[in-house]
Amino acid sequence: GDSVTQMEGPVTLSEEAFLTINCTYTATGYPSLFWYVQYPGEGLQLLLKATKADDKGSNKGFEATYRKETTSFHLEKGSVQVSDSAVYFCALSGSSNTGKLIFGQGTTLQVKP
Amino acid sequence: EAGVAQSPRYKIIEKRQSVAFWCNPISGHATLYWYQQILGQGPKLLIQFQNNGVVDDSQLPKDRFSAERLKGVDSTLKIQPAKLEDSAVYLCASSPTPGLNYEQYFGPGTRLTVT
């Protein structure tokens, strides 16, 4: 079945450091790919998405490119801020075609001043 | 626009007791999802409704979990009897219509602790 694998956390960075959170997936067909973020004490919210191969999703300085050849959707940001501290989830919506999301296990990011 | 509402926010019960969670989706959203998020894991879909019909309940433990969506709007998720392994955050989400490209909007969740 479809699945998503994220890099283990927690990830601890200093402010203004470069961020990469790795995400790879297994799916039949052509899934849509998402990054969701959960800030402390808040609900999950969509950060960015990409719906076809080579698409780049971007929002709030974060970017991720849908790489079909490597089945990856790595999240990057050039300069993180303390306010980016949160849990990040990679997810796909795939072969079932119902909109159902399959999530990775989440990666905790802590940014220190 | 009001977001997805859930109640209660926290619940502590003993094993073998029953519990119910309530969700009110964003107005006009036809699709409603219930996810279970165990600590340290990503959310896992329990059940999906399209209006008041069930689209996917393949991962719902039907011997103890039940859910309904009244008149295609509010939804309740019930656990009876609860087990220790049901301790988790239960998330409700809604979207305008099912499909690959529609964003799901999540509520704040209900944190259940079973002792």
Side-chain angles (χ1 to χ4, degrees), chain B residues 3 5 17 19 24 31-32 37 39 45-46 49 53 58 63 71 83-84 89 93 95-97 100 103-105 109-110:
Chain B
Q17 287 187 324
V19 64
N24 183 243
T31 309
L32 186 147
Q37 185 179 11
L39 186 64
L45 181 72
L46 291 176
F49 292 94
S58 58
D63 57 333
K71 299 179 181 179
K83 292 185 175 181
L84 295 176
V89 176
S95 69
T97 188
L100 300 180
E103 177 181 352
Q104 292 184 27
Y105 296 82
T110 296

Side-chain angles (χ1 to χ4, degrees), chain A residues 53-101:
Chain A
D54 300 324
D55 266 3
K56 178 185 285 187
S58 62
N59 186 26
K60 300 182 181 179
F62 290 89
E63 293 183 340
T65 301
Y66 188 164
R67 302 286 188 199
K68 192 172 188 301
E69 63 276 13
T70 55
T71 61
S72 65
F73 193 54
H74 304 321
L75 182 68
E76 296 181 337
K77 187 174 185 181
S79 176
V80 293
Q81 306 300 312
V82 172
S83 57
D84 294 326
S85 298
V87 182
Y88 293 81
F89 292 92
C90 185
L92 70 80
S93 179
S95 55
S96 69
N97 205 32
T98 61
K100 162 186 172 180
L101 289 172

Side-chain angles (χ1 to χ4, degrees), chain B:
Chain B
E1 179 183 76
V4 176
Q6 291 188 247
S7 67
R9 292 294 308 276
Y10 305 92
K11 189 74 177 177
I12 301 174
I13 62 171
E14 295 182 352
K15 59 184 179 184
R16 291 187 290 274
Q17 287 187 324
S18 62
V19 64
F21 313 128
W22 174 81
C23 172
N24 183 243
I26 293 173
S27 177
H29 280 195
T31 309
L32 186 147
Y33 308 83
W34 283 101
Y35 290 87
Q36 179 192 58
Q37 185 179 11
I38 293 172
L39 186 64
Q41 299 181 20
K44 181 186 79 173
L45 181 72
L46 291 176
I47 188 167
Q48 176 183 347
F49 292 94
Q50 172 70 9
N51 295 311
N52 60 354
V54 175
V55 174
D56 184 348
D57 63 356
S58 58
Q59 297 196 80
L60 186 74
K62 298 180 186 64
D63 57 333
R64 297 184 301 105
F65 286 64
S66 64
E68 62 180 1
R69 189 176 184 194
L70 304 173
K71 299 179 181 179
V73 182
D74 293 7
S75 178
T76 55
L77 176 69
K78 297 179 181 177
I79 308 175
Q80 182 179 9
K83 292 185 175 181
L84 295 176
E85 59 260 37
D86 298 331
S87 294
V89 176
Y90 291 84
L91 298 168
C92 180
S94 69
S95 69
T97 188
L100 300 180
N101 301 324
Y102 284 95
E103 177 181 352
Q104 292 184 27
Y105 296 82
F106 284 81
T110 296
R111 183 176 297 277
L112 173 67
T113 303
V114 182
T115 62

